[in-house]
């Protein structure tokens, strides 16, 4: 036993590297892969690749520290319950449009062109279950209005 304890310290760097790699892998997995969503507006059905933020950690990070985001992509925040929500742009370098959605995926409020890096709170203006963040100007390009809806596997159909 004493011999094994004497050898243990030389394994620590390897163990620390493995732990760091495991933590990085868990973080990437928890960020969620992109999945298809369809934004249904008066101008038609618009396909959007959505990264899902559905854990406290992924919702806290959101789109922070990203220099760009491709067109027709965004992030879907699932708060797991319907309640008033506030968002902000801390450490977010992109101008964003935010679509606030009820439990059925219906748009209840639209906030456009949120100021990058701002700490100002952006209110849902009522209870919501989901928020979709898109590049600034995308809501206007899609013709998004209150009453439009998002179809996505995270949103139960038929509610």
């Amino acid at each position: 036993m004493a011999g094994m304890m004497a050898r243990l310290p030389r394994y620590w760097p390897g163990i620390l590297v493995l732990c760091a790699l495991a933590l990085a892998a868990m973080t990437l997995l928890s960020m969620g892969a992109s999945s298809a969503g369809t934004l249904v507006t008066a101008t038609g059905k618009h396909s959007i690749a959505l990264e899902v933020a559905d854990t406290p950690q992924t919702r806290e990070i959101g789109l922070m520290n990203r220099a760009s985001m491709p067109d027709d992509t965004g992030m879907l925040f699932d708060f797991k319950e319907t309640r008033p929500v506030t968002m902000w742009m801390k450490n977010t370098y992109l101008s964003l449009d935010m679509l606030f959605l009820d439990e059925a995926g219906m748009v209840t409020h639209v906030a456009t062109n949120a100021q990058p890096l701002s700490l100002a709170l952006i209110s849902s203006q009522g209870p919501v279950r989901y928020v979709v963040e898109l590049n600034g100007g995308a809501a206007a390009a899609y013709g998004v209005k209150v009453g439009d809806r998002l179809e996505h596997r995270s949103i139960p159909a038929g509610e």
Side-chain angles (χ1 to χ4, degrees):
M1 183 75 152
M4 188 161 82
M5 293 302 282
R7 285 183 272 160
L8 189 58
R10 75 176 164 167
Y11 296 120
W12 277 110
I15 292 170
L16 290 175
V17 168
L18 287 175
C19 288
L21 289 173
L23 181 62
M26 289 184 344
T27 300
L28 287 173
L29 287 173
S30 70
M31 289 175 70
S34 288
S35 58
T38 303
L39 190 56
V40 182
T41 74
T43 63
K45 293 185 174 191
H46 308 278
S47 182
I48 303 169
L50 292 168
E51 184 177 333
V52 178
D54 59 359
T55 66
Q57 297 82 10
T58 57
R59 287 191 301 266
E60 181 179 341
I61 295 169
L63 292 171
M64 287 182 177
N65 301 310
R66 298 191 190 188
S68 65
M69 185 168 60
D71 291 341
D72 301 318
T73 65
M75 180 170 279
L76 173 63
F77 293 78
D78 182 351
F79 290 95
K80 306 292 187 186
E81 65 181 347
T82 300
R83 62 180 173 82
V85 169
T86 54
M87 306 291 280
W88 66 355
M89 298 290 289
K90 180 180 179 182
N91 298 325
T92 305
Y93 299 101
L94 310 168
S95 176
L96 297 174
D97 290 348
M98 297 179 193
L99 312 180
F100 296 89
L101 314 172
D102 66 13
E103 61 280 345
M106 187 172 68
V107 177
T108 61
H109 175 61
V110 179
T112 58
N113 295 304
Q115 182 68 38
L117 304 174
S118 173
L119 298 181
L121 297 179
I122 302 164
S123 171
S124 61
Q125 298 188 3
V128 296
R129 163 83 188 257
Y130 308 96
V131 176
V132 175
E133 290 183 341
L134 303 168
N135 283 311
Y142 296 133
V144 178
K145 304 279 187 233
V146 170
D148 291 340
R149 74 179 193 285
L150 177 72
E151 296 171 349
H152 186 268
R153 69 177 185 197
S154 296
I155 300 171
E159 285 191 20

